[in-house]
Amino acid sequence: METYKGIITKGIGGFYYVEVADATYECKARGVFRKNKITPLIGDYVDITVNDNAENTIDKIYERKNFLNRPPVSNIDNLIIVVSTALPRPNFLVIDKLVALAEHKGIEPIIVISKTDLSHYNEIYSVYEKTGICVIPLISDESLDKLKDVMNGCVNAFTGNSGVGKTTLLNKLDGNLALSTGEISEKLGRGRHTTRQAQLFKVCGGYVIDTPGFSSLEFEKNEIITKEDLPYCFREFREYLGFCKFSSCTHINDKGCKIVEAVNDGKINPIRHENYAAMYAQAKEIKKWEL
């Protein structure tokens, strides 16, 4: 009997696959988790016991730094938002919704600009250059190396609209994957009965989450950000929060608003502020029973 600490990389039918160093063990969660209504998640760091003549067990789940409801995954370090310069054109409202969700969950948003050979990346880059968010235009091997460095040692989730080049990018990051467009799951050998399950696989010294929930942006619809929390999800707003003339400031068109002043002074990109206003209008419609 041996005990190890590892990370859950896959779960199927009540069995969890825990990676420990260079080995992976199939485990069952102890009954105490079910009793306490705790479900292990992909990405959980756990202690396991490996038994010679009995089932291996998950004995402890370490505190999660974050988790998402759908897809149900935990401890995500980076949300890598792939945005193309063309075909499809960037939708900045969708991008900012994803960035805000990442900020809200304590996940680092990384914006990767693809298809820079079709159109110049400056339109996208200029929107985010003053935000403090890492933006990586894919223009050279050096930019790809920068992304690899960002991913190293981290749990990474990729998202973006269909056609932006996520699969192509993953193939460039790890040539051993040899993924076909839209067939990430095929490489992992997952059968039809598990296609809705999240899974981690190794890329660039870290992990990438493979789940339909990210590629189809389903998770954006299943996480709620209140209008009170929303301003803190735009990191370039934060230095101005608390300094507006009125404590009830919505930061849209209020008199004495420091954020509006920063927009007018060119310190905050107007597209970001417009998207904040659109998201604020949606957040105002959230009912208490939805929280």
Side-chain angles (χ1 to χ4, degrees), residues 96-162:
D96 282 339
K97 284 182 177 181
L98 297 172
V99 170
L101 175 62
E103 300 278 24
H104 185 56
K105 288 292 185 177
I107 302 168
E108 186 66 23
I110 311 292
I111 296 175
V112 173
I113 306 175
S114 65
K115 302 186 181 181
T116 55
D117 56 323
L118 299 181
S119 184
H120 201 276
Y121 63 85
N122 191 60
E123 178 191 4
I124 302 168
Y125 190 86
S126 63
V127 173
Y128 298 96
E129 63 180 336
K130 297 178 182 178
T131 62
I133 296 168
C134 178
V135 183
I136 305 175
L138 296 176
I139 54 178
S140 64
D141 289 341
E142 287 75 15
S143 57
L144 200 64
D145 289 341
K146 182 178 180 180
L147 179 57
K148 290 178 180 180
D149 289 341
V150 166
M151 294 173 61
N152 185 33
C154 296
V155 175
N156 305 280
F158 278 69
T159 188
N161 287 340
S162 296

Side-chain angles (χ1 to χ4, degrees), residues 37-45 61-79 100-108 155 157 198 200 209 211 214 219-220 222-225 291:
K37 298 182 178 179
I38 299 172
T39 302
L41 297 178
I42 307 307
D44 277 346
Y45 292 98
I61 299 174
Y62 286 84
E63 183 178 358
R64 296 162 180 158
K65 74 174 186 177
N66 57 52
F67 68 92
L68 296 176
N69 295 313
R70 284 183 59 187
V73 292
S74 68
N75 298 315
I76 305 168
D77 296 302
N78 299 317
L79 181 63
L101 175 62
E103 300 278 24
H104 185 56
K105 288 292 185 177
I107 302 168
E108 186 66 23
V155 175
L200 300 185
I209 301 171
T211 166
F214 281 113
F219 73 113
E220 177 207 316
N222 292 282
E223 303 291 340
I224 292 174
I225 304 174
L291 300 175

Side-chain angles (χ1 to χ4, degrees), residues 227-241:
K227 67 180 190 295
E228 291 79 16
D229 289 337
L230 186 61
Y232 295 92
C233 298
F234 285 70
R235 64 175 64 179
E236 69 270 40
F237 289 14
R238 294 173 192 168
E239 64 179 290
Y240 305 104
L241 296 176

